[in-house]
């Protein structure tokens, strides 16, 4: 019974998380901007339970970092 229960839980989690994955991913950049560490941990934990869930977060994080880097470079006064 424990094995069956674990399979049921995995199946239900997978389906429920997949239904909301787009929303989690959409809010990810906002959570990064606000430095909402606890919420970021929850999003990561949930998406880590489904296949390819974290991969898209990594892409969003990379885009976030690149954007922040470009903003920081734009603020540096030019020498000359």
């Amino acid at each position: 019974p424990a094995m069956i229960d674990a399979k049921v839980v995995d199946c239900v989690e997978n389906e429920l998380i997949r239904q909301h994955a787009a929303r989690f991913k959409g809010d990810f950049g906002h959570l990064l901007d606000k430095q909402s560490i606890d919420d970021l941990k929850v999003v990561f934990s949930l998406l880590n339970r489904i296949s390819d869930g974290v991969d898209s977060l990594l892409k969003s994080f990379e885009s976030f970092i690149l954007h922040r880097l470009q903003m920081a470079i734009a603020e540096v006064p030019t020498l000359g």
Side-chain angles (χ1 to χ4, degrees), residues 27-44:
D27 292 343
F28 189 67
H30 176 73
L31 296 175
L32 286 169
D33 280 333
K34 299 296 179 183
Q35 297 180 4
S36 301
I37 303 302
D38 290 336
D39 293 333
L40 288 165
K41 287 179 185 179
V42 170
V43 169
F44 180 84

Side-chain angles (χ1 to χ4, degrees), residues 76-80:
V76 173
T78 59
L79 299 175

Side-chain angles (χ1 to χ4, degrees), residues 15-32 39-40 42-44 46-47 50 53 56-57 60:
E15 289 302 313
L16 289 175
I17 293 169
R18 282 202 186 283
Q19 288 178 9
H20 299 283
R23 181 173 177 208
F24 296 148
K25 293 170 188 175
D27 292 343
F28 189 67
H30 176 73
L31 296 175
L32 286 169
D39 293 333
L40 288 165
V42 170
V43 169
F44 180 84
L46 288 170
L47 292 178
I50 62 173
S56 62
L57 286 185
S60 295

Side-chain angles (χ1 to χ4, degrees), residues 49-66:
R49 296 178 187 190
I50 62 173
S51 62
D52 299 327
V54 174
D55 290 341
S56 62
L57 286 185
L58 293 174
K59 291 175 186 170
S60 295
F61 185 66
E62 179 181 9
S63 295
F64 175 82
I65 295 297
L66 289 173

